[in-house]
Amino acid sequence: MPTTLAEFESVWPRIVADIEGHVKNYKLPQQSLDWLIKQLNYNTVGGKCNRGMSVVDTSSLLRNKTLDPASEDYFRAALLGWMIELLQAFFLVSDDIMDSSKTRRGSPCWYLVPNVGMVAINDAFMLESSIYLLLKKHFRQEKSYIDMVELFHEVTLQTELGQMCDLLTAPEDHVDLDNFSLEKFSFIVIFKTAYYSFYLPVALALHFCGFATERNLQTALDILIPMGEYFQAQDDYLDAFADPETLGKIGTDIQDNKCSWLINQALRKVNPEQRKILEENYGVKSSETEAKVKALYHELKLAEFYEQWEEERVADLKTKISKVDESEGLKKEVFEAFLKKIYKRSK
C-alpha cells in the first residue's frame, strides 16, 4: 500500500526538532529560533508531497514490503523524502521572489507575509542547509552517505541551470518567440523539473535500500528523465486545454510567456500569417489575446497532436520499463507506479 500524506507528515515534527536541537547548540537567540521554526513549517508543509512520498513508496517496492509508519525504517525513508521537500521549498521561496508571484498553495508567498520581505532570501538558504544537517545527523555512518550528499549537490545545480535557462529564454516582460525552441523546452524541463522530481526520489531510495549500483542508477535515469519531460508536456497541454475546475487552477502559460511544449509545437506548424498572430498575442497580460492564441492552438489541432504524441511517448516508456534488468534489486514496478500516476491525468 502506498504511504498516505498523514503518515508522511507524522514524522515532520521530529525533523523540526532535529533542526531546532542543532541550531540551539549555537545559542541562537529565541526570536531567531522562533522565526526559523515558523518559516520551516510555512514553506515546507502544505504541498502534495508527491516527491517525498515517492521515496517511501519506492523503498517499499524495492524491499518487497510496506514500511511500517511506526518503524525507524519508515522514519529514515520519510526523512530522505522530506529532504526533497526542503529542496523544493528552497526552490519555491526563491522562485516566487524571481517571478514576483503572489500566492503559493493558497497562501501568500513567504516573501509577501508581513515583516518577511527579503529576509526570505536567507530563509531559502536555511531550507537548503537543513538538508545537509539532517543527512549528516542520520546517515553519516552509511556507506552511501557521501553519494547522497553529492546527489543532492548535483541535482540542485541541475535544477538551477534549468531555472537560469528558463529565466533567460522566457522573461515575462520581454517576448521573443525567436528565442524559443523544442531543444530549449527539453533542456528547461529536464533540468528544472525531471531531475529533482522524478530521478532524485528513486535514486535516494536505491541508496537507502542498498541497490544503488551504477547500472540501476543509469536505468533510473534513462526512464525517469523522459518521463519527467512527458509530465511537463502534459502539464502544458492541461494548462491550455483542461477545464479549470477539474484542473484546480486557471492556466497562465500563454499570458506568462512560458516556453511551453505547446507554443514550440505551434511555432513548428504555423504559416506566416499564423506566426503573426502569435507574435502579437503571446505573452500579453490579457484574456482577449490569450483567447486568440488558444483559438490558433485549436486551428492547428494541437490537442489531437498532443494525444497522439502522448500515446507514442507512453508506448516508448513502457518498452523501456519492460526491459528493466531486475538482477541487481531494481524493480519494474517502481517505474510502472510513476507512470500510472501521470498517464491520462486530468489535474
Side-chain angles (χ1 to χ4, degrees):
M1 283 289 290
T3 191
T4 65
L5 185 58
E7 288 166 349
F8 185 69
E9 287 184 337
S10 72
V11 308
W12 175 248
R14 184 174 159 188
I15 294 169
V16 174
D18 276 348
I19 297 168
E20 182 181 2
H22 187 88
V23 298
K24 271 185 175 172
N25 292 328
Y26 303 138
K27 308 277 193 295
L28 186 69
Q30 190 63 42
Q31 179 193 18
S32 300
L33 185 63
D34 293 344
W35 181 282
L36 174 61
I37 292 165
K38 180 184 173 184
Q39 77 101 347
L40 277 168
N41 287 315
Y42 191 95
N43 292 311
T44 317
V45 183
K48 297 191 285 287
C49 292
N50 287 337
R51 296 169 184 83
M53 292 194 295
S54 292
V55 181
V56 180
D57 292 339
T58 302
S59 299
S60 292
L61 287 170
L62 291 170
R63 290 192 173 177
N64 280 326
K65 62 171 191 181
T66 301
L67 299 181
D68 174 4
S71 70
E72 191 63 14
D73 237 14
Y74 181 94
F75 169 74
R76 287 165 69 75
L79 173 61
L80 288 170
W82 276 111
M83 288 177 205
I84 304 180
E85 296 301 326
L86 284 163
L87 185 68
Q88 159 90 333
F90 159 54
F91 292 146
L92 296 183
V93 170
S94 313
D95 209 26
D96 287 341
I97 296 170
M98 288 180 243
D99 293 347
S100 306
S101 299
K102 298 288 181 280
T103 59
R104 169 72 62 187
R105 297 167 179 163
S107 299
C109 295
W110 177 240
Y111 79 101
L112 291 176
V113 170
N115 305 316
V116 176
M118 290 304 114
V119 179
I121 297 174
N122 194 63
D123 291 335
F125 299 158
M126 289 294 310
L127 291 161
E128 187 193 23
S129 296
S130 301
I131 296 165
Y132 300 101
L133 179 165
L134 293 163
L135 260 178
K136 184 177 177 183
K137 179 178 168 70
H138 292 278
F139 292 93
R140 192 161 186 256
Q141 73 288 358
E142 304 290 337
K143 65 179 194 300
S144 60
Y145 170 64
I146 200 65
D147 289 325
M148 291 198 283
V149 169
E150 289 181 350
L151 176 64
F152 269 105
H153 282 314
E154 182 78 10
V155 169
T156 302
L157 172 64
Q158 287 164 326
T159 310
E160 289 161 353
L161 289 170
Q163 171 75 342
M164 177 172 68
C165 188
D166 192 16
L167 291 169
L168 295 175
T169 302
E172 273 197 55
D173 56 353
H174 177 70
V175 183
D176 178 8
L177 298 183
D178 288 333
N179 211 4
F180 288 1
S181 68
L182 270 173
E183 290 70 31
K184 277 190 186 170
F185 163 81
S186 287
F187 183 89
I188 291 165
V189 302
I190 288 169
F191 280 75
K192 188 177 171 178
T193 304
Y195 278 112
Y196 93 96
S197 301
F198 285 81
Y199 174 67
L200 181 58
V202 173
L204 284 173
L206 285 167
H207 283 297
F208 177 66
C209 296
F211 297 133
T213 62
E214 206 173 313
R215 179 190 283 179
N216 284 349
L217 289 168
Q218 189 59 52
T219 300
L221 209 55
D222 292 344
I223 294 172
L224 293 165
I225 296 306
M227 197 183 290
E229 192 179 1
Y230 155 51
F231 175 84
Q232 188 59 52
Q234 183 185 50
D235 217 51
D236 295 349
Y237 161 79
L238 291 170
D239 186 273
F241 291 106
D243 172 15
E245 277 193 29
T246 311
L247 193 58
K249 62 178 181 180
I250 294 164
T252 59
D253 284 1
I254 293 170
Q255 290 193 32
D256 290 348
N257 188 37
K258 286 280 190 271
C259 180
S260 77
W261 188 85
L262 288 171
I263 184 66
N264 281 296
Q265 295 295 350
L267 289 167
R268 294 176 80 184
K269 294 173 184 295
V270 289
N271 61 35
E273 271 171 55
Q274 292 168 324
R275 166 89 187 199
K276 197 162 181 291
I277 293 170
L278 289 177
E279 298 276 10
E280 289 169 357
N281 296 286
Y282 198 78
V284 181
K285 301 279 187 200
S286 134
S287 49
E288 288 79 23
T289 52
E290 181 184 57
K292 288 177 185 171
V293 175
K294 281 191 179 177
L296 183 57
Y297 283 178
H298 282 289
E299 200 181 311
L300 294 168
K301 295 193 164 37
L302 284 187
E304 294 86 335
F305 178 76
Y306 167 78
E307 282 157 18
Q308 182 192 339
W309 177 88
E310 178 180 43
E311 293 308 319
E312 288 166 8
R313 177 53 64 98
V314 170
D316 186 46
L317 286 167
K318 284 181 174 171
T319 302
K320 282 190 169 130
I321 293 168
S322 72
K323 292 177 181 168
V324 168
D325 179 349
E326 298 187 334
S327 65
E328 294 178 4
L330 190 55
K331 300 264 194 325
K332 293 183 174 75
E333 292 164 83
V334 167
F335 306 110
E336 286 163 354
F338 268 84
L339 189 56
K340 189 178 169 191
K341 277 184 201 161
I342 60 177
Y343 179 54
K344 295 290 185 194
R345 71 189 171 102
S346 58
K347 59 181 177 180

